[in-house]
């Protein structure tokens, strides 16, 4: 195997710099030159006048982070193509978003989606969910930032941390200055960078691996297309991704502040429906492309695994290495690929910064601020939050860079936070009998369960007792002497069962814990129930409530509001 030592040409640098420049220029335009009154509603929701198409592009870009571009293909390369089932999961999530959750938020028109929890239950539940969201963002954003740095330093001689500071601070700058409109329009620009770079790299990758026939044969012979395994203990399986993945991705595509802010930035529910349709198509297509890229990588390296030969020291460097192998003689392609990863990073990071600013301002600070505060002061506070939180995330990259395997780490963070949040919103919207006491008990129980399982699982992994079986690798085609790494022994059946089941079930289990405990405690404390406003319930539940009961709930609510 030829060891590529390619660095950027001037064309590659030009492509990369153009992406960074236009991303910053959009933020500066909306923050300095756009004629508008910068209220909190304008800064956080774009005045609810955004066109559905750029919003859809923005959502696609923010959900296709560097994890999808760099980590998912490596996961497919090592463990097989089961991740393709996530495409079905995304479709199910979009359907549930449209019919179950989005109508409630669109009717209430809340700036912070966690305000729903204080209206439906009480402020303690709102604080719990807000804390989980901020915690997830604080540790997931460094992952999104670090991945493009890996790709860039693989093809240049620049210092890793210098690139990190430049990319991170540019993103913080345009997000702080321009607000949600800058985020959405820069994401829309970055969407095209992601799509074009992914398509070009995939096409050249398939060609370099010998075409579709060679790709199919190499992956099929090693079991990488065996995607119908239903064993709950395997890493990725059909039910794991379709059921467990649905719960996890509901918290990402729907029940997350950054997604809901963008849904609510369009003027009507009809526009929001169009956003969901385009978002579904785009995310499914890009997820499928990341799987096929993993297949192309294996077909290219089927006879000489660069991970075992130490041509690649970290899993997260394998995709850049593959691009260099594929495109070393194609001027501009490495720059296009790196710009695509940068686009994915910037869109995810900027969306997260804007949503965290909204949560901290609306959920934590607003109750303590003067009620006659000016719009200018409010926008300055929001900008300050973006800057401070952005710098914190940049500094936390120093922790992430010592972790080998970004995809499992990302799933661990999602398991701890996504399940409890999804459980709380589902408890509120689908179960009229749930009360504040039940929601608090369920939320704490679900969070404790998720932490217990994640900590136990990762302790066994770090001890070397719990391993995910990899698909076969080979060194038979290497043109130098090398020793193959011994395949790890299977995981012992003596390890507690919950530590052995797939990571995709963690969010599902914690969400079930939230709902079960929530309903049980609500039943035990039912006498404390307060009247429920029917608009706080999902339309599916409203249609099941008998007309008399619905009228009674509304009357009780009116009486309560009157007092």
């Amino acid at each position: 195997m030829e060891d590529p030592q390619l660095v950027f040409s001037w064309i590659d640098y030009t492509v990369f710099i153009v992406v960074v420049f236009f991303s910053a220029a959009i933020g500066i335009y909306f923050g300095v030159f756009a004629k508008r009154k910068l209220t909190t509603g304008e800064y956080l929701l774009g005045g609810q006048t955004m066109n559905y198409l750029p919003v859809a592009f923005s959502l696609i870009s923010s959900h296709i982070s560097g994890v999808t571009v760099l980590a998912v293909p490596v996961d497919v390369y090592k463990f097989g193509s089961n991740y393709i089932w996530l495409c079905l999961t995304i479709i199910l999530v979009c359907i549930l978003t449209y019919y179950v959750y989005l109508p409630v938020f669109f009717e209430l028109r809340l700036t912070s989606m966690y305000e729903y929890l204080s209206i439906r239950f009480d402020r303690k539940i709102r604080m719990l969910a807000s804390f989980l969201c901020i915690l997830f963002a604080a540790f997931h954003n460094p992952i999104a930032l670090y991945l493009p740095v890996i790709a860039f330093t693989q093809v240049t001689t620049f210092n890793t941390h210098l690139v990190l500071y430049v990319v991170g601070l540019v993103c913080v700058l345009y997000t702080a200055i321009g607000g949600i409109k800058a985020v959405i329009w820069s994401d829309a620009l970055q969407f095209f960078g992601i799509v074009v770079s992914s398509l070009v790299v995939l096409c050249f990758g398939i060609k370099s691996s010998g075409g579709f026939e060679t790709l199919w044969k190499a992956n099929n012979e090693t079991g990488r297309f065996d995607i119908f395994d239903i064993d709950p203990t395997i890493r990725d399986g059909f039910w794991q991704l379709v059921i467990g993945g649905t719960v996890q991705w509901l918290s990402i595509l729907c029940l997350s502040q950054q997604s809901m802010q963008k849904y609510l930035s369009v003027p009507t529910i009809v526009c929001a429906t169009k956003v969901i349709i385009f978002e579904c198509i785009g995310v499914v297509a890009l997820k499928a492309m990341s799987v096929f890229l993993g297949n192309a990588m294996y077909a290219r390296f089927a006879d000489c695994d660069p991970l075992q030969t130490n041509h690649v020291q970290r899993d997260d460097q394998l995709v850049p290495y593959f691009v260099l192998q594929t495109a070393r003689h194609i001027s501009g392609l490495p720059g296009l690929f790196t710009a695509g990863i940068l686009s994915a990073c910037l869109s995810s990071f900027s969306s997260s910064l804007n949503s965290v600013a909204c949560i901290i301002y609306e959920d934590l600070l607003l109750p303590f601020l003067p009620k006659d505060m000016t719009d200018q002061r409010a926008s300055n506070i929001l900008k300050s939050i973006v800057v401070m939180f952005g710098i914190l995330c940049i500094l936390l990259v120093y922790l992430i860079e010592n972790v080998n395997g970004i995809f499992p780490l990302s799933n661990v963070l999602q398991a701890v936070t996504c399940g409890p949040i999804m459980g709380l919103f589902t408890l509120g919207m689908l179960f009229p009998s749930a009360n504040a006491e039940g929601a608090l008990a369920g939320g704490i129980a679900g969070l404790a369960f998720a932490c217990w399982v994640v900590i136990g699982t990762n302790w066994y992994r770090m001890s070397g007792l719990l391993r995910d079986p990899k698909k076969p690798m080979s060194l038979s085609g290497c043109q130098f002497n090398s020793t193959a790494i011994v395949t790890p022994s299977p995981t012992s059946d003596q390890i507690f069962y919950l530590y052995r089941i797939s990571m995709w079930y963690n969010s599902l289990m914690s969400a079930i814990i939230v709902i079960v405990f929530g309903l049980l405690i609500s039943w035990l404390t039912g006498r404390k129930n307060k009247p429920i406003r029917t608009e706080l319930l999902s339309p599916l539940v409203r249609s099941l409530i008998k007309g008399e009961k619905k009228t009674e709930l509304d009357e009780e609510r009116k009486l309560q509001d009157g007092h």
Side-chain angles (χ1 to χ4, degrees), residues 7 15 43 108 156 159 243 276 326 431 448 487 527:
V7 295
V15 173
Y43 190 88
L108 295 174
T156 68
N159 178 271
I243 298 179
I276 292 174
T326 303
F431 298 95
T487 303
R527 63 186 180 279

Side-chain angles (χ1 to χ4, degrees), residues 363-384:
D363 298 341
L364 304 183
L365 299 182
L366 192 58
F368 305 101
L369 295 174
K371 297 197 180 292
D372 58 348
M373 184 174 57
T374 63
D375 290 329
Q376 183 62 49
R377 184 181 176 189
S379 65
N380 288 339
I381 292 174
L382 287 165
K383 292 175 182 178
S384 300

